[in-house]
Amino acid sequence: MQDGNIAGQSFFFVGVGGSGMMPLAMILAGRGAVVAGSDRGLDQGRVPAKFADLEAKGVRLFPQDGSGIVSPDQIVVASAAVEATVADMVAADRLGCRRMSRAELNAALFNASRLPIGVAGTSGKSTVTGMIARILHDAGLDPTVMNGAVMKDFAGADRPFASALVGTGEPYLSEVDESDGSIALYAPRIAVLNNVSLDHKSLEELNVLFGDFIGKAAHAIVNAGNPDAAALAMRLPRDRVTTFALNGEADLTPLDIEEEPFAVSFTLRGTRIRLNVPGKHNVANALAAIGAALAAGIAFDTAAAAIARYTGLKRRFDLVGEAGGVAVIDDFGHNPDKIAATLATLHAFPGRLLMLFQPHGYGPLKTMRKELVETFAQGLGSDDLLVLPDPVYQGGTVTREVTSGDIVNDIAIGGGNARHIADRAAAAAHLVANARAGDRIVVMGARDDTLPLLAAEMVAQLGARDTIA
């Protein structure tokens, strides 16, 4: 599929509201394709503002009952999570519609672009993608950007869910997912590898996928502070790699890091840079983004100035509000690396942590059980409180071998203060009731776009509690 023949083609997205599907639908609609879709969340009435934004961009929405798939000329795009028994898939099979996965379609657009820039790694993909997007935009390169999170820099009243940019310039910038193996479809000119750590696959599988990915690129930007990533970089010719690390030997290494509650500063190549997002992990993310910008031919001063204007992503250490001296933060942390980074950032400053962690599925809970327990056991302070509701479940078949209760029991055995409260609203209410001035409440989890609404409700509950008091 070439860029030139997208205009006028008809696409139907099954699950159009998904974090990976929505920006892709926006890009296709922005390039003149006829785009329609359905979503279980739409039928359930969840997050109506998101679907209103899609309609405003010209995407027609249908119930997930097969009524939107009416022609064999429609290309039906669906993730592997969509069962063959869903009415839309039955209709697509009946009509003989061409099928594509989200990754196949995105990779086709990516590979056809003049400057494909791919961001890979177990953690930090969306943040680094957002940072690179800011630099490319400010440098005047008018990129097309496919992100899995809403980029605050480009969000506004007319586009509240800015997880995509539709540009006319050479760059096609996309985060690239390893969890389903689809990273193998992408042929980057510039490849970023943030880190390699346990998430959906074994380290052995991940090293093969990431090694092949950076091996295709004309230039790779690799985290030399991560042992597995550094080992993969060593296989490439030295002139095709830019390394970065917070400490030790690397092409890009920061000096004099100074942390603030919601910002962090560092010096790079003699220039002082202050990021509007906190944590040392974001310094590493910034180094990756600057490395990618340099590989794209952007001057260092331009990249440094642009990244200082980066304002972050929704659901990445996102301060939702404050009431009664209690800050409520919404965060995407769902695997050990992401959770550890958030805990370290929060514990750099005083204040008790009250955490609600909603696991993003029973499968990942089983895969990451040991590592999740270790992360919380090591990262929670003696006064902190962790509450786990049941994992997110939005329909379909699922095996419930490991539960939130199992995780809580394991953490308790290790001495951590954790509770299992199955109902999410009850779990949130428990934290609100126990919060006191100076505390930070953190809502963590993935694959559930109602979590930001929960965080906002908790701010309102804190305010109401103090009004009554």
Side-chain angles (χ1 to χ4, degrees):
M1 178 181 295
Q2 300 298 316
D3 281 358
N5 65 7
I6 289 171
Q9 282 200 43
S10 182
F11 295 86
F12 190 95
F13 283 72
V14 184
V16 70
S19 62
M21 298 281 266
M22 185 172 177
L24 193 52
M26 290 176 174
I27 288 170
L28 290 177
R31 291 186 172 185
V34 177
V35 184
S38 67
D39 196 277
R40 191 153 41 197
L42 174 67
D43 294 348
Q44 295 169 353
R46 290 189 292 115
V47 198
K50 178 171 69 174
F51 297 105
D53 189 40
L54 276 169
E55 286 187 306
K57 291 176 171 58
V59 178
R60 287 194 66 193
L61 299 177
F62 293 86
Q64 204 167 80
D65 60 4
S67 61
I69 299 178
V70 295
S71 166
D73 294 331
Q74 289 172 292
I75 299 172
V76 175
V77 185
S79 72
V82 177
E83 296 97 342
T85 54
V86 170
D88 286 341
M89 306 311 293
V90 173
D93 287 343
R94 184 179 70 251
L95 290 170
C97 296
R98 180 184 172 190
R99 292 273 305 280
M100 293 187 83
S101 70
R102 182 203 67 81
E104 287 169 343
L105 178 54
N106 188 46
L109 298 173
F110 180 92
N111 295 340
S113 71
R114 294 183 294 280
L115 180 56
I117 304 172
V119 180
T122 315
S123 300
K125 292 187 292 290
S126 297
T127 296
V128 173
T129 300
M131 288 177 167
I132 298 171
R134 180 76 207 221
I135 298 171
L136 295 173
H137 174 271
D138 287 11
L141 297 185
D142 195 20
T144 294
V145 181
M146 164 76 194
N147 204 336
V150 174
M151 297 175 283
K152 291 183 182 180
D153 289 344
F154 306 108
D158 60 332
R159 48 180 181 182
F161 295 89
S163 53
L165 289 182
V166 184
T168 59
E170 292 192 353
Y172 190 106
L173 167 65
S174 180
E175 65 168 289
V176 176
D177 188 17
E178 79 288 345
S179 65
D180 60 358
S182 63
I183 187 174
L185 300 172
Y186 294 81
R189 176 97 58 83
I190 297 171
V192 178
L193 179 56
N194 290 340
N195 43 54
V196 183
S197 61
L198 188 69
D199 194 342
H200 300 274
K201 293 183 177 292
S202 70
L203 285 175
E204 291 76 16
E205 291 176 288
L206 291 173
N207 278 309
V208 171
L209 290 169
F210 289 138
D212 290 347
F213 177 71
I214 63 173
K216 295 176 186 176
H219 202 88
I221 295 85
V222 181
N223 184 359
N226 178 267
D228 288 87
L232 294 175
M234 292 290 288
R235 301 179 188 173
L236 300 179
R238 188 65 187 89
D239 61 351
R240 285 175 50 198
V241 181
T242 296
T243 57
F244 66 92
L246 292 179
N247 302 290
E249 292 293 321
D251 299 318
L252 298 173
T253 304
L255 301 173
D256 305 321
I257 297 174
E258 291 185 21
E259 295 193 70
E260 303 171 39
F262 291 95
V264 64
S265 301
F266 62 97
T267 298
L268 184 66
R269 294 187 176 179
T271 298
R272 193 68 182 163
I273 299 171
R274 182 177 183 271
L275 301 176
N276 292 302
V277 288
K280 291 181 179 177
H281 63 290
N282 274 319
V283 175
N285 289 335
L287 298 177
I290 291 170
L294 296 175
I298 296 170
F300 173 78
D301 289 349
T302 301
I307 208 160
R309 293 188 286 267
Y310 170 76
T311 56
L313 306 176
K314 293 284 190 182
R315 301 224 61 234
R316 271 48 170 198
F317 208 95
D318 194 5
L319 179 61
V320 177
E322 190 170 347
V326 180
V328 179
I329 296 163
D330 183 28
D331 191 72
F332 190 65
H334 61 282
N335 66 33
D337 265 14
K338 291 183 173 75
I339 293 167
T342 297
L343 289 173
T345 300
L346 286 160
H347 277 307
F349 297 90
R352 193 170 62 135
L353 302 185
L354 305 181
M355 302 183 64
L356 186 152
F357 171 58
Q358 178 180 270
H360 61 291
Y362 287 92
L365 207 55
K366 179 183 177 182
T367 302
M368 297 185 288
R369 177 176 183 170
K370 177 175 177 287
E371 291 76 14
L372 273 176
V373 170
E374 289 176 352
T375 298
F376 280 121
Q378 294 168 8
L380 289 171
S382 58
D383 292 332
D384 295 341
L385 172 61
L386 170 67
V387 175
L388 269 72
D390 286 341
V392 62
Y393 174 68
Q394 296 172 349
T397 55
V398 65
T399 303
R400 308 184 183 203
E401 292 182 44
V402 177
T403 68
S404 293
D406 294 327
I407 302 299
V408 164
N409 289 337
D410 291 351
I411 294 171
I413 290 169
N417 187 13
R419 290 192 61 180
H420 172 219
I421 301 177
D423 179 72
R424 192 178 78 177
H430 180 75
L431 293 184
V432 168
N434 281 275
R436 56 180 184 256
D439 289 348
R440 282 82 49 85
I441 291 178
V442 189
V443 175
M444 301 180 82
R447 291 186 187 164
D448 185 348
D449 46 17
T450 66
L451 284 170
L453 304 179
L454 177 70
E457 288 169 9
M458 294 173 82
V459 176
Q461 289 169 6
L462 286 164
R465 181 193 72 171
D466 292 340
T467 300
I468 294 170

